[in-house]
Amino acid sequence: MRPDERDVIFARMSYAPGSPEYREYYGRRPEREAFDAALRGMPPLGGPETPTFNPLVTPVADGVFSLLAGLHPLTDGPAAENKVEASAGDFTRWLKGLAAEAGASASGVVALTADHYYSHRGRGAHYGRPIAEADTLPHALVLAVPMNPDLVRQGPRAPEMVGTVLGYLEAAKVALALAWSVRRAGYRARAHLDGHYLLPLQRLARDGGLGVIGRHGLVITEKHGPCARLAAIDTDLPLCPDAPEPRERDVVEFCTLCGRCARRCPAVPKTDWPGQTVDADLCFKHWRRRGTDCGVCIAACPFTGGLDWGRLATPAGREETLAEVERGSDSRPDVAPPVWLTRR
């Protein structure tokens, strides 16, 4: 079954009580109204009432997220009339090369089906709009950009949010550069970035070989672990699809043994994984209690610190790697916040 963006917690938080979106959604899903209303009653992320409030962080987070929202009208547009002619192989090398030059640490091509897309849009003026087959395009290029691990390790303290929002901004920059370049080459292309998605990016990244979905629900890339942000374009540009990561089983087996993220976060499944998924509603509730988007699962993940995936190919290698991880600290590293985010 295709996911419905209207069910995503970030979309639900945008439904103002009394609005047409609010009435339509909770008319269909009344079991969620009380829980969501309680969340709306909590202080906002970065708010002065939260225990992690930092007056030098909140303007950055709010400002850059507002900038990202302002970029949404730039995500789509008409293609140039004259098409550049090249093979799928040439276009694939061109697009991946441009992604890397613009700042992506990894990228992959997916041959899209309707099942990759949301069934309905869930935010803003597009609320409730079905995503029909006519809206889909044949290919996507999904990309990852790294976040600053020292900022992420500040979580759940406020400076972590700066690492998050700047990661989203870098990912958006690359996706927009790709989409606009493809359109100038004469092909359709839409950028998918924070707050403006037609398709969930985790599955896309897994199918495009960028990495493996870990116990914490995040895509684990080989170079940066889960300490990365995703964006994508979908396009009718001829491209050569990639395959999922061939070492996926090895990473999943290691995640099953490890569980460090589950020990740090109540929303991550403790047992029955693979199988259970992260409780996104509980995760967001935890964010609102702390006043930040937390990041402790990323900070706790051994892949953030760098692991040799080759060592995970055998049970003995996974056990040895886990033993080395366990000999390290399972608490948040005591990383000092950047001076520029500290009042004296």
Side-chain angles (χ1 to χ4, degrees), residues 189-234:
R190 296 178 296 206
H192 302 264
L193 47 93
D194 176 71
H196 192 80
Y197 303 109
L198 275 72
L199 63 180
L201 298 190
Q202 284 86 353
R203 178 189 171 185
L204 206 66
R206 182 264 172 195
D207 290 354
L210 263 68
V212 179
I213 299 175
R215 185 194 287 255
H216 39 45
L218 302 172
V219 175
I220 298 171
T221 64
E222 184 170 12
K223 190 172 182 180
H224 300 288
C227 195
R229 289 294 166 190
L230 304 174
I233 69 167
D234 60 345

Coordinates of all heavy atoms in Angstrom, one line a residue, residues 189-234:
A189 N 12.0 17.7 -14.8 CA 12.6 17.4 -13.5 C 12.0 18.2 -12.4 O 11.8 19.4 -12.5 CB 14.1 17.7 -13.6
R190 N 11.7 17.5 -11.3 CA 11.2 18.1 -10.1 C 12.1 17.9 -8.9 O 12.6 16.7 -8.8 CB 9.8 17.6 -9.8 CG 8.8 17.9 -10.8 CD 7.4 17.3 -10.4 NE 7.5 15.8 -10.4 CZ 6.4 15.0 -10.6 NH1 5.2 15.5 -10.9 NH2 6.6 13.7 -10.6
A191 N 12.4 18.9 -8.1 CA 13.2 18.7 -6.9 C 12.3 18.4 -5.7 O 11.2 19.0 -5.6 CB 14.0 19.9 -6.7
H192 N 12.8 17.5 -4.9 CA 12.1 17.1 -3.7 C 13.0 17.4 -2.5 O 14.1 16.8 -2.4 CB 11.7 15.6 -3.7 CG 10.9 15.2 -4.9 ND1 9.5 15.1 -4.9 CD2 11.3 14.9 -6.2 CE1 9.1 14.7 -6.1 NE2 10.1 14.7 -6.9
L193 N 12.5 18.3 -1.7 CA 13.3 18.8 -0.6 C 12.4 19.1 0.7 O 11.2 18.8 0.6 CB 14.1 20.1 -1.0 CG 13.3 21.2 -1.7 CD1 12.7 22.2 -0.7 CD2 14.1 21.8 -2.8
D194 N 13.1 19.5 1.7 CA 12.3 19.6 3.0 C 11.0 20.2 2.9 O 10.9 21.4 2.4 CB 13.2 20.3 4.0 CG 12.4 20.5 5.3 OD1 12.3 19.5 6.1 OD2 12.0 21.7 5.6
G195 N 9.9 19.6 3.3 CA 8.6 20.1 3.3 C 7.9 20.0 2.0 O 6.7 20.5 1.9
H196 N 8.5 19.5 1.0 CA 7.9 19.4 -0.4 C 8.4 18.1 -1.1 O 9.3 18.1 -1.9 CB 8.4 20.7 -1.2 CG 7.7 20.9 -2.4 ND1 6.5 21.5 -2.5 CD2 8.0 20.6 -3.7 CE1 6.1 21.6 -3.7 NE2 7.0 21.0 -4.5
Y197 N 7.7 17.1 -0.7 CA 8.0 15.8 -1.2 C 6.7 15.2 -1.9 O 5.6 15.3 -1.4 CB 8.4 14.8 -0.1 CG 9.6 15.2 0.7 CD1 9.4 15.6 2.0 CD2 10.8 15.3 0.2 CE1 10.4 16.0 2.8 CE2 11.9 15.7 1.0 CZ 11.7 16.0 2.3 OH 12.8 16.4 3.1
L198 N 7.0 14.5 -3.0 CA 5.9 13.7 -3.6 C 6.2 12.2 -3.4 O 5.3 11.4 -3.7 CB 5.8 13.9 -5.1 CG 5.0 15.1 -5.6 CD1 5.6 16.4 -5.3 CD2 4.7 15.0 -7.1
L199 N 7.3 11.9 -2.9 CA 7.7 10.5 -2.6 C 8.6 10.4 -1.4 O 9.4 11.2 -1.2 CB 8.3 9.9 -3.9 CG 9.6 10.4 -4.4 CD1 10.0 9.5 -5.7 CD2 9.6 11.8 -4.8
P200 N 8.4 9.4 -0.6 CA 9.3 9.2 0.6 C 10.7 8.9 0.2 O 10.9 8.1 -0.7 CB 8.6 8.0 1.3 CG 7.3 7.8 0.7 CD 7.4 8.3 -0.7
L201 N 11.7 9.5 0.8 CA 13.0 9.4 0.4 C 13.8 8.2 0.9 O 14.8 7.8 0.3 CB 13.8 10.7 0.7 CG 13.3 12.0 0.0 CD1 14.3 13.1 0.2 CD2 13.0 11.7 -1.5
Q202 N 13.4 7.7 2.1 CA 14.1 6.6 2.7 C 14.1 5.4 1.7 O 15.1 4.7 1.4 CB 13.6 6.2 4.0 CG 14.0 7.1 5.2 CD 13.0 8.3 5.2 OE1 12.1 8.5 4.4 NE2 13.2 9.1 6.3
R203 N 12.9 5.0 1.3 CA 12.8 3.8 0.4 C 13.6 4.1 -0.9 O 14.3 3.3 -1.5 CB 11.4 3.5 0.0 CG 11.3 2.3 -0.9 CD 9.9 2.1 -1.5 NE 9.9 1.1 -2.6 CZ 8.8 0.8 -3.3 NH1 7.7 1.3 -3.0 NH2 8.9 -0.1 -4.2
L204 N 13.5 5.4 -1.4 CA 14.1 5.7 -2.6 C 15.7 5.6 -2.5 O 16.3 5.0 -3.4 CB 13.8 7.2 -3.0 CG 13.9 7.6 -4.4 CD1 12.8 6.9 -5.2 CD2 13.7 9.1 -4.6
A205 N 16.2 6.0 -1.4 CA 17.6 5.9 -1.1 C 18.1 4.4 -1.0 O 19.1 4.1 -1.5 CB 18.0 6.6 0.1
R206 N 17.2 3.6 -0.4 CA 17.5 2.2 -0.3 C 17.5 1.6 -1.7 O 18.4 0.8 -2.1 CB 16.5 1.5 0.6 CG 16.8 0.0 0.8 CD 15.9 -0.8 -0.1 NE 16.3 -2.2 0.0 CZ 15.9 -3.1 -0.9 NH1 15.2 -2.7 -2.0 NH2 16.2 -4.4 -0.8
D207 N 16.5 1.9 -2.5 CA 16.4 1.2 -3.8 C 17.5 1.7 -4.8 O 17.9 1.0 -5.7 CB 15.0 1.5 -4.4 CG 13.9 0.8 -3.7 OD1 14.2 0.0 -2.8 OD2 12.7 1.1 -4.0
G208 N 17.9 3.0 -4.5 CA 19.0 3.5 -5.4 C 20.4 3.2 -4.9 O 21.4 3.7 -5.5
G209 N 20.5 2.3 -3.9 CA 21.9 1.9 -3.5 C 22.6 2.8 -2.6 O 23.8 2.6 -2.4
L210 N 22.0 3.9 -2.1 CA 22.8 4.9 -1.3 C 23.1 4.3 0.1 O 24.1 4.7 0.7 CB 21.9 6.1 -1.0 CG 22.3 7.3 -2.0 CD1 21.9 7.0 -3.4 CD2 21.6 8.6 -1.5
G211 N 22.3 3.3 0.5 CA 22.6 2.7 1.8 C 21.5 1.8 2.3 O 20.8 1.3 1.4
V212 N 21.5 1.6 3.6 CA 20.6 0.6 4.2 C 19.7 1.3 5.2 O 20.3 2.1 6.0 CB 21.4 -0.6 4.8 CG1 20.5 -1.6 5.5 CG2 22.3 -1.2 3.7
I213 N 18.5 1.0 5.3 CA 17.6 1.5 6.4 C 17.9 0.8 7.7 O 17.7 -0.4 7.8 CB 16.1 1.4 6.0 CG1 15.9 2.2 4.7 CG2 15.3 2.0 7.1 CD1 14.5 2.1 4.2
G214 N 18.4 1.5 8.7 CA 18.8 0.9 9.9 C 17.6 0.8 10.9 O 16.5 1.2 10.7
R215 N 17.9 0.3 12.1 CA 16.9 0.1 13.2 C 16.3 1.4 13.5 O 15.1 1.5 13.9 CB 17.6 -0.5 14.4 CG 16.6 -0.9 15.5 CD 17.4 -1.1 16.8 NE 18.1 -2.4 16.8 CZ 17.7 -3.5 17.5 NH1 16.6 -3.4 18.2 NH2 18.4 -4.6 17.4
H216 N 17.0 2.5 13.4 CA 16.5 3.8 13.8 C 15.7 4.5 12.7 O 15.2 5.6 12.8 CB 17.6 4.8 14.2 CG 18.8 4.7 13.3 ND1 18.8 4.6 11.9 CD2 20.2 4.6 13.7 CE1 20.1 4.5 11.5 NE2 20.9 4.5 12.5
G217 N 15.4 3.7 11.6 CA 14.6 4.2 10.5 C 15.3 5.2 9.5 O 14.7 5.6 8.6
L218 N 16.6 5.4 9.7 CA 17.3 6.3 8.9 C 18.2 5.5 7.9 O 18.6 4.4 8.2 CB 18.2 7.2 9.8 CG 17.5 8.1 10.8 CD1 18.5 8.7 11.7 CD2 16.6 9.1 10.1
V219 N 18.5 6.2 6.8 CA 19.4 5.5 5.8 C 20.8 5.6 6.3 O 21.4 6.7 6.5 CB 19.2 6.2 4.4 CG1 20.2 5.5 3.4 CG2 17.8 6.0 4.0
I220 N 21.5 4.4 6.4 CA 22.9 4.4 6.8 C 23.7 4.3 5.5 O 23.7 3.4 4.7 CB 23.2 3.1 7.6 CG1 22.3 3.1 8.9 CG2 24.6 3.0 7.9 CD1 22.4 1.8 9.7
T221 N 24.4 5.4 5.2 CA 25.3 5.5 4.1 C 26.7 4.9 4.5 O 27.1 5.0 5.7 CB 25.5 6.9 3.6 OG1 26.1 7.7 4.6 CG2 24.1 7.5 3.2
E222 N 27.4 4.4 3.5 CA 28.7 3.8 3.9 C 29.7 4.9 4.4 O 30.5 4.7 5.3 CB 29.3 3.1 2.7 CG 30.6 2.4 3.0 CD 31.1 1.5 1.9 OE1 30.6 1.5 0.8 OE2 32.1 0.7 2.2
K223 N 29.7 6.1 3.8 CA 30.7 7.1 4.1 C 30.3 7.9 5.4 O 31.2 8.2 6.2 CB 30.8 8.1 3.0 CG 32.0 9.1 3.1 CD 32.1 9.9 1.8 CE 33.4 10.8 1.9 NZ 33.5 11.6 0.7
H224 N 29.1 8.2 5.6 CA 28.7 9.0 6.8 C 27.7 8.4 7.7 O 27.2 9.1 8.6 CB 28.1 10.4 6.3 CG 29.1 11.1 5.4 ND1 30.2 11.8 5.9 CD2 29.1 11.3 4.1 CE1 30.8 12.4 4.9 NE2 30.2 12.1 3.8
G225 N 27.4 7.1 7.5 CA 26.4 6.5 8.4 C 25.0 7.2 8.2 O 24.7 7.6 7.1
P226 N 24.3 7.4 9.3 CA 23.0 8.1 9.2 C 23.2 9.6 9.3 O 22.2 10.3 9.3 CB 22.2 7.5 10.3 CG 23.2 7.2 11.4 CD 24.4 6.8 10.6
C227 N 24.4 10.1 9.4 CA 24.7 11.5 9.6 C 24.7 12.2 8.3 O 25.7 12.8 7.8 CB 26.0 11.7 10.3 SG 26.2 13.3 11.0
A228 N 23.5 12.2 7.6 CA 23.4 12.7 6.2 C 21.9 13.1 6.0 O 21.0 12.5 6.7 CB 23.8 11.8 5.2
R229 N 21.7 14.0 5.1 CA 20.3 14.4 4.8 C 20.1 14.0 3.3 O 21.0 14.1 2.5 CB 20.1 15.9 5.0 CG 20.0 16.2 6.4 CD 18.8 15.6 7.1 NE 18.8 15.7 8.5 CZ 18.0 15.1 9.3 NH1 17.0 14.3 8.8 NH2 18.1 15.2 10.7
L230 N 18.8 13.7 3.0 CA 18.5 13.3 1.6 C 17.7 14.3 0.9 O 17.0 15.1 1.5 CB 17.7 12.0 1.7 CG 18.2 10.8 2.5 CD1 17.2 9.7 2.6 CD2 19.5 10.3 1.8
A231 N 17.8 14.3 -0.4 CA 16.9 15.0 -1.3 C 16.9 14.2 -2.6 O 17.6 13.2 -2.8 CB 17.4 16.4 -1.6
A232 N 16.1 14.6 -3.6 CA 15.9 13.8 -4.8 C 15.4 14.7 -5.9 O 14.8 15.8 -5.7 CB 15.0 12.6 -4.6
I233 N 15.6 14.3 -7.2 CA 14.8 14.8 -8.3 C 14.1 13.6 -8.9 O 14.7 12.5 -8.9 CB 15.6 15.6 -9.3 CG1 16.6 14.7 -10.1 CG2 16.4 16.7 -8.6 CD1 17.2 15.3 -11.3
D234 N 12.9 13.8 -9.5 CA 12.4 12.8 -10.4 C 12.3 13.4 -11.8 O 12.2 14.7 -11.9 CB 11.0 12.2 -10.0 CG 9.9 13.3 -9.8 OD1 10.2 14.5 -9.8 OD2 8.8 12.9 -9.8

